[in-house]
C-alpha cells in the first residue's frame, strides 16, 4: 500500500496491518520486511535485523568510486562512543579495528601485521609480524587443569614442501611441563 501522510507530508510505502511487506521482481519475492522489522534479501523468513540468503555463493559488496577511500563496516553500541570495524582500503589492505584504532591488518603482500601499520621486515617469508611497546610476544597455553610431568604445553613446527607437493615436517620446538603443576605455579 502506498500512501501520503497529510499531517506530516511524509510519503510512505507500507502495510498498516500486522503483516509483512514484500517486494517482487519477475513474479518472485526478492525482499521482505517482516512484521517485527527484520529485513530479508533472498529470504522470506528473516531471523535477524538483516538476513541475506542465496542458493549460490552469498556476497555482500561494498564499492566506492573514490580511489583513495575505504570500504568500511563499523560496529558500535549505544553505550559506547568507541567502535570497531573492518576496513578495506584503496591500497589493498584489510584493517581490523578496535576502540577506534587499527589493531591489525593484512597488507597487500598478505602479511599479517599486529600492532603495526607497516611491515618491519619485507623478506618474502616474514608473513607474521607482532609489534608492541613492551615487546612483541606470542603466547601459547594449554587449556587443562591437570598439567602433569612431560605434558605438552605447545610448540612451533616448520614444514617444507617436497617434490610431490606434500608438506613434511622439517624442524620443531616443543615445550613440555617440567613436573606436575599446581595453582599459581610459575616457571622460574
Amino acid at each position: 500500500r502506498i500512501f501520503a501522510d497529510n499531517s506530516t507530508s511524509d510519503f510512505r510505502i507500507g502495510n498498516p496491518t500486522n503483516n509483512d511487506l514484500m517486494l517482487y521482481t519477475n513474479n518472485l519475492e526478492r525482499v521482505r520486511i517482516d512484521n517485527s522489522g527484520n529485513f530479508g534479501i533472498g529470504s522470506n523468513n528473516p531471523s535477524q535485523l538483516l538476513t541475506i540468503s542465496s542458493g549460490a555463493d552469498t556476497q555482500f559488496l561494498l564499492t566506492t568510486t573514490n580511489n583513495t577511500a575505504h570500504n568500511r563496516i563499523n560496529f558500535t553500541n549505544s553505550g559506547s562512543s568507541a567502535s570497531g570495524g573492518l576496513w578495506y582500503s584503496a591500497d589493498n589492505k584489510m584493517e581490523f579495528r578496535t576502540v577506534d584504532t587499527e589493531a591489525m591488518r593484512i597488507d597487500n603482500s598478505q602479511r599479517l601485521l599486529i600492532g603495526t601499520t607497516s611491515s618491519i621486515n619485507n623478506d618474502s617469508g616474514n608473513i607474521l609480524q607482532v609489534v608492541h611497546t613492551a615487546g612483541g610476544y606470542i603466547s601459547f597455553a594449554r587449556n587443562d587443569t591437570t598439567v602433569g610431568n612431560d605434558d605438552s604445553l605447545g610448540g612451533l613446527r616448520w614444514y617444507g614442501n617436497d617434490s610431490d607437493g606434500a608438506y613434511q615436517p622439517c624442524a620443531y620446538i616443543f615445550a613440555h611441563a617440567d613436573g606436575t603443576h599446581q595453582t599459581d605455579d610459575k616457571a622460574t
Side-chain angles (χ1 to χ4, degrees):
R1 183 175 185 193
I2 301 174
F3 57 96
D5 185 339
N6 292 332
S7 65
T8 63
S9 301
D10 290 338
F11 176 77
R12 299 180 185 182
I13 298 175
N15 193 339
T17 62
N18 192 23
N19 293 308
D20 296 352
L21 173 67
M22 297 156 285
L23 300 176
Y24 285 75
T25 63
N26 199 25
N27 206 30
L28 296 171
E29 181 181 329
R30 306 299 185 175
V31 174
R32 177 181 294 241
I33 303 173
D34 72 11
N35 60 12
S36 68
N38 290 337
F39 189 92
I41 300 172
S43 172
N44 62 7
N45 189 21
S47 61
Q48 304 296 318
L49 191 56
L50 174 61
T51 301
I52 301 173
S53 180
S54 172
D57 292 341
T58 302
Q59 299 183 31
F60 180 76
L61 177 64
L62 298 174
T63 188
T64 179
T65 57
N66 180 334
N67 64 3
T68 62
H70 285 75
N71 288 307
R72 300 176 181 186
I73 299 174
N74 291 319
F75 308 94
T76 191
N77 63 51
S78 61
S80 172
S81 61
S83 67
L86 180 60
W87 295 10
Y88 192 78
S89 69
D91 59 345
N92 298 311
K93 67 181 181 291
M94 182 73 70
E95 298 176 16
F96 299 83
R97 303 178 71 82
T98 61
V99 197
D100 296 323
T101 304
E102 183 178 328
M104 69 178 182
R105 77 170 52 186
I106 300 172
D107 72 7
N108 57 15
S109 296
Q110 287 77 49
R111 292 180 292 241
L112 177 58
L113 309 177
I114 301 172
T116 183
T117 59
S118 59
S119 177
I120 58 174
N121 185 321
N122 290 322
D123 291 347
S124 62
N126 198 344
I127 60 170
L128 172 62
Q129 300 179 31
V130 181
V131 176
H132 192 274
T133 55
Y137 290 87
I138 299 175
S139 298
F140 299 91
R142 179 184 173 115
N143 188 9
D144 183 352
T145 60
T146 58
V147 176
N149 189 43
D150 206 35
D151 283 347
S152 176
L153 299 174
L156 298 171
R157 295 180 181 173
W158 289 265
Y159 291 82
N161 190 343
D162 65 15
S163 60
D164 67 0
Y167 284 94
Q168 300 295 322
C170 297
Y172 317 94
I173 297 175
F174 293 130
H176 292 266
D178 60 357
T180 300
H181 289 237
Q182 305 296 323
T183 301
D184 292 328
D185 281 354
K186 296 184 177 56
T188 55

